[in-house]
Amino acid sequence: MKNKRELGKEYEAAVRRILEKRGYRILRENYRCPIGEIDLITRDGKTLVFVEVKYRSSKRCGLPEEAVSVGKQRRISRTARWYLMEQGYADEVICRFDVAAVSKDGVRIYQNAFDCQS
């Protein structure tokens, strides 16, 4: 039986393959900094995309996309700002936040799932 970390890596890899087939270019996986983590950082054309991957084995605890709370959105947003500063991106860079919801029913990608949170 696989632990949560192993399952998470498998689901992130599955999402990565789907995004690549859709033409996204993967820049970073499991980006970590002192204030948080982002599962995937990609480029979709000229847009920099921060992707949160969420998995649920059953609907008992809700849908995977429902697990991206406002607090989680804030952490992802702060981490994205850290990444942008660290990489020297200009203020004008176009960014968006996507959520990849993984369940037994498959993978759903929600583009522009939330706005940057303060």
Side-chain angles (χ1 to χ4, degrees):
M1 188 166 169
K2 295 179 183 176
N3 66 35
K4 284 184 177 184
R5 180 165 286 166
E6 291 170 329
L7 282 173
K9 286 184 183 256
E10 279 184 26
Y11 297 129
E12 286 173 13
V15 169
R16 186 186 69 238
R17 288 189 299 272
I18 290 168
L19 294 175
E20 288 174 328
K21 285 180 183 176
R22 292 183 181 184
Y24 289 56
R25 189 166 51 105
I26 308 302
L27 303 177
R28 297 285 295 265
E29 296 179 52
N30 299 309
Y31 171 77
R32 285 181 172 77
C33 70
I35 57 174
E37 173 196 357
I38 296 176
D39 295 325
L40 295 168
I41 302 173
T42 70
R43 191 168 281 284
D44 181 18
K46 293 183 178 185
T47 304
L48 194 61
V49 184
F50 300 96
V51 182
E52 175 68 8
V53 178
K54 280 296 179 190
Y55 168 76
R56 290 289 181 263
S57 59
S58 75
K59 294 180 182 175
R60 192 169 12 128
C61 294
L63 298 172
E65 54 269 35
E66 295 171 336
V68 185
S69 66
V70 173
K72 181 71 172 171
Q73 292 172 23
R74 282 189 192 113
R75 282 190 298 282
I76 293 168
S77 296
R78 285 194 302 265
T79 305
R81 284 193 292 273
W82 183 289
Y83 175 81
L84 293 170
M85 288 188 321
E86 179 184 85
Q87 298 300 310
Y89 278 95
D91 290 338
E92 298 83 34
V93 68
I94 301 167
C95 298
R96 78 169 191 251
F97 296 91
D98 290 2
V99 172
V102 182
S103 67
K104 291 181 179 182
D105 298 331
V107 177
R108 294 173 306 283
I109 309 286
Y110 296 94
Q111 289 186 341
N112 212 15
F114 60 91
D115 294 324
C116 189
Q117 303 291 318
S118 316

